[in-house]
mmCIF file of all heavy atoms in Angstrom:
data_model
loop_
_atom_site.group_PDB
_atom_site.id
_atom_site.type_symbol
_atom_site.label_atom_id
_atom_site.label_comp_id
_atom_site.label_asym_id
_atom_site.label_seq_id
_atom_site.Cartn_x
_atom_site.Cartn_y
_atom_site.Cartn_z
ATOM 1 N N SER N 75 -17.196 14.069 -37.131
ATOM 2 C CA SER N 75 -17.478 13.018 -36.151
ATOM 3 C C SER N 75 -17.664 11.730 -36.936
ATOM 4 O O SER N 75 -17.837 11.750 -38.164
ATOM 5 C CB SER N 75 -18.734 13.332 -35.327
ATOM 6 O OG SER N 75 -19.907 13.219 -36.128
ATOM 7 N N LEU N 76 -17.637 10.599 -36.253
ATOM 8 C CA LEU N 76 -17.821 9.331 -36.954
ATOM 9 C C LEU N 76 -19.219 9.212 -37.571
ATOM 10 O O LEU N 76 -19.355 8.767 -38.728
ATOM 11 C CB LEU N 76 -17.517 8.168 -36.015
ATOM 12 C CG LEU N 76 -16.084 8.133 -35.457
ATOM 13 C CD1 LEU N 76 -15.901 6.943 -34.526
ATOM 14 C CD2 LEU N 76 -15.050 8.096 -36.574
ATOM 15 N N PRO N 77 -20.299 9.605 -36.862
ATOM 16 C CA PRO N 77 -21.609 9.585 -37.516
ATOM 17 C C PRO N 77 -21.669 10.490 -38.751
ATOM 18 O O PRO N 77 -22.334 10.159 -39.740
ATOM 19 C CB PRO N 77 -22.564 10.088 -36.422
ATOM 20 C CG PRO N 77 -21.890 9.737 -35.146
ATOM 21 C CD PRO N 77 -20.429 9.921 -35.423
ATOM 22 N N GLU N 78 -20.957 11.610 -38.713
ATOM 23 C CA GLU N 78 -20.964 12.528 -39.856
ATOM 24 C C GLU N 78 -20.219 11.924 -41.047
ATOM 25 O O GLU N 78 -20.607 12.126 -42.206
ATOM 26 C CB GLU N 78 -20.347 13.863 -39.453
ATOM 27 C CG GLU N 78 -20.945 15.072 -40.133
ATOM 28 C CD GLU N 78 -22.396 15.349 -39.752
ATOM 29 O OE1 GLU N 78 -22.889 14.829 -38.717
ATOM 30 O OE2 GLU N 78 -23.045 16.106 -40.508
ATOM 31 N N LEU N 79 -19.146 11.185 -40.774
ATOM 32 C CA LEU N 79 -18.450 10.477 -41.848
ATOM 33 C C LEU N 79 -19.395 9.471 -42.509
ATOM 34 O O LEU N 79 -19.450 9.380 -43.744
ATOM 35 C CB LEU N 79 -17.218 9.763 -41.305
ATOM 36 C CG LEU N 79 -16.024 10.656 -40.933
ATOM 37 C CD1 LEU N 79 -14.980 9.864 -40.155
ATOM 38 C CD2 LEU N 79 -15.383 11.260 -42.178
ATOM 39 N N ARG N 80 -20.136 8.731 -41.709
ATOM 40 C CA ARG N 80 -21.076 7.756 -42.280
ATOM 41 C C ARG N 80 -22.156 8.461 -43.094
ATOM 42 O O ARG N 80 -22.537 7.993 -44.169
ATOM 43 C CB ARG N 80 -21.707 6.930 -41.161
ATOM 44 C CG ARG N 80 -20.724 6.041 -40.417
ATOM 45 C CD ARG N 80 -21.405 5.115 -39.426
ATOM 46 N NE ARG N 80 -20.386 4.395 -38.677
ATOM 47 C CZ ARG N 80 -19.965 4.744 -37.460
ATOM 48 N NH1 ARG N 80 -20.490 5.805 -36.854
ATOM 49 N NH2 ARG N 80 -19.035 4.049 -36.844
ATOM 50 N N LYS N 81 -22.633 9.584 -42.590
ATOM 51 C CA LYS N 81 -23.673 10.329 -43.301
ATOM 52 C C LYS N 81 -23.187 10.763 -44.678
ATOM 53 O O LYS N 81 -23.951 10.789 -45.652
ATOM 54 C CB LYS N 81 -24.098 11.554 -42.471
ATOM 55 C CG LYS N 81 -25.323 12.279 -42.991
ATOM 56 C CD LYS N 81 -25.587 13.563 -42.204
ATOM 57 C CE LYS N 81 -25.822 13.282 -40.727
ATOM 58 N NZ LYS N 81 -26.144 14.553 -39.998
ATOM 59 N N GLY N 82 -21.904 11.092 -44.785
ATOM 60 C CA GLY N 82 -21.338 11.527 -46.053
ATOM 61 C C GLY N 82 -20.809 10.399 -46.911
ATOM 62 O O GLY N 82 -20.193 10.660 -47.951
ATOM 63 N N ASN N 83 -21.026 9.132 -46.499
ATOM 64 C CA ASN N 83 -20.513 7.963 -47.222
ATOM 65 C C ASN N 83 -18.990 8.038 -47.380
ATOM 66 O O ASN N 83 -18.433 7.656 -48.404
ATOM 67 C CB ASN N 83 -21.183 7.796 -48.588
ATOM 68 C CG ASN N 83 -21.152 6.353 -49.081
ATOM 69 O OD1 ASN N 83 -21.167 5.416 -48.291
ATOM 70 N ND2 ASN N 83 -21.094 6.170 -50.386
ATOM 71 N N ILE N 84 -18.347 8.547 -46.338
ATOM 72 C CA ILE N 84 -16.880 8.634 -46.283
ATOM 73 C C ILE N 84 -16.427 7.444 -45.449
ATOM 74 O O ILE N 84 -16.307 7.524 -44.226
ATOM 75 C CB ILE N 84 -16.434 9.976 -45.672
ATOM 76 C CG1 ILE N 84 -17.093 11.141 -46.411
ATOM 77 C CG2 ILE N 84 -14.903 10.104 -45.709
ATOM 78 C CD1 ILE N 84 -17.188 12.414 -45.601
ATOM 79 N N GLY N 85 -16.219 6.327 -46.121
ATOM 80 C CA GLY N 85 -16.016 5.075 -45.416
ATOM 81 C C GLY N 85 -14.570 4.694 -45.184
ATOM 82 O O GLY N 85 -14.289 3.709 -44.501
ATOM 83 N N LEU N 86 -13.633 5.474 -45.738
ATOM 84 C CA LEU N 86 -12.217 5.177 -45.571
ATOM 85 C C LEU N 86 -11.459 6.484 -45.439
ATOM 86 O O LEU N 86 -11.655 7.411 -46.236
ATOM 87 C CB LEU N 86 -11.688 4.381 -46.772
ATOM 88 C CG LEU N 86 -10.200 4.023 -46.760
ATOM 89 C CD1 LEU N 86 -9.851 3.144 -45.567
ATOM 90 C CD2 LEU N 86 -9.806 3.314 -48.059
ATOM 91 N N VAL N 87 -10.589 6.547 -44.433
ATOM 92 C CA VAL N 87 -9.798 7.756 -44.191
ATOM 93 C C VAL N 87 -8.361 7.363 -43.897
ATOM 94 O O VAL N 87 -8.069 6.224 -43.531
ATOM 95 C CB VAL N 87 -10.361 8.583 -43.011
ATOM 96 C CG1 VAL N 87 -11.822 8.933 -43.241
ATOM 97 C CG2 VAL N 87 -10.201 7.833 -41.679
ATOM 98 N N VAL N 88 -7.464 8.308 -44.093
ATOM 99 C CA VAL N 88 -6.113 8.192 -43.554
ATOM 100 C C VAL N 88 -6.125 8.985 -42.256
ATOM 101 O O VAL N 88 -6.391 10.191 -42.253
ATOM 102 C CB VAL N 88 -5.053 8.726 -44.527
ATOM 103 C CG1 VAL N 88 -3.664 8.650 -43.893
ATOM 104 C CG2 VAL N 88 -5.086 7.936 -45.833
ATOM 105 N N ALA N 89 -5.892 8.300 -41.147
ATOM 106 C CA ALA N 89 -6.017 8.896 -39.818
ATOM 107 C C ALA N 89 -4.640 8.967 -39.169
ATOM 108 O O ALA N 89 -3.834 8.040 -39.294
ATOM 109 C CB ALA N 89 -6.966 8.071 -38.954
ATOM 110 N N THR N 90 -4.389 10.036 -38.461
ATOM 111 C CA THR N 90 -3.030 10.316 -37.997
ATOM 112 C C THR N 90 -2.810 10.043 -36.518
ATOM 113 O O THR N 90 -3.728 10.012 -35.706
ATOM 114 C CB THR N 90 -2.658 11.791 -38.247
ATOM 115 O OG1 THR N 90 -3.451 12.625 -37.398
ATOM 116 C CG2 THR N 90 -2.851 12.175 -39.700
ATOM 117 N N GLN N 91 -1.538 9.872 -36.215
ATOM 118 C CA GLN N 91 -0.968 10.133 -34.895
ATOM 119 C C GLN N 91 -0.088 11.367 -35.074
ATOM 120 O O GLN N 91 0.525 11.549 -36.128
ATOM 121 C CB GLN N 91 -0.101 8.973 -34.427
ATOM 122 C CG GLN N 91 -0.830 7.656 -34.243
ATOM 123 C CD GLN N 91 0.152 6.512 -34.090
ATOM 124 O OE1 GLN N 91 0.731 6.059 -35.062
ATOM 125 N NE2 GLN N 91 0.349 6.034 -32.866
ATOM 126 N N ILE N 92 -0.022 12.215 -34.056
ATOM 127 C CA ILE N 92 0.786 13.428 -34.189
ATOM 128 C C ILE N 92 1.252 13.889 -32.810
ATOM 129 O O ILE N 92 0.445 13.991 -31.874
ATOM 130 C CB ILE N 92 0.010 14.552 -34.914
ATOM 131 C CG1 ILE N 92 0.862 15.804 -35.048
ATOM 132 C CG2 ILE N 92 -1.337 14.830 -34.255
ATOM 133 C CD1 ILE N 92 0.252 16.872 -35.945
ATOM 134 N N ALA N 93 2.565 14.118 -32.687
ATOM 135 C CA ALA N 93 3.123 14.679 -31.453
ATOM 136 C C ALA N 93 4.488 15.254 -31.787
ATOM 137 O O ALA N 93 5.393 14.526 -32.189
ATOM 138 C CB ALA N 93 3.234 13.623 -30.359
ATOM 139 N N ARG N 94 4.634 16.536 -31.629
ATOM 140 C CA ARG N 94 5.899 17.213 -31.922
ATOM 141 C C ARG N 94 6.836 17.150 -30.711
ATOM 142 O O ARG N 94 6.387 17.264 -29.563
ATOM 143 C CB ARG N 94 5.624 18.666 -32.289
ATOM 144 C CG ARG N 94 6.869 19.465 -32.675
ATOM 145 C CD ARG N 94 6.575 20.949 -32.860
ATOM 146 N NE ARG N 94 5.692 21.205 -33.972
ATOM 147 C CZ ARG N 94 4.441 21.658 -33.864
ATOM 148 N NH1 ARG N 94 3.938 21.899 -32.667
ATOM 149 N NH2 ARG N 94 3.706 21.868 -34.925
#
Side-chain angles (χ1 to χ4, degrees):
S75 70
L76 299 179
E78 214 66 18
L79 287 169
R80 294 187 185 98
K81 189 186 300 183
N83 205 30
I84 307 157
L86 178 61
V87 304
V88 177
T90 68
Q91 297 167 283
I92 180 171
R94 182 187 295 112

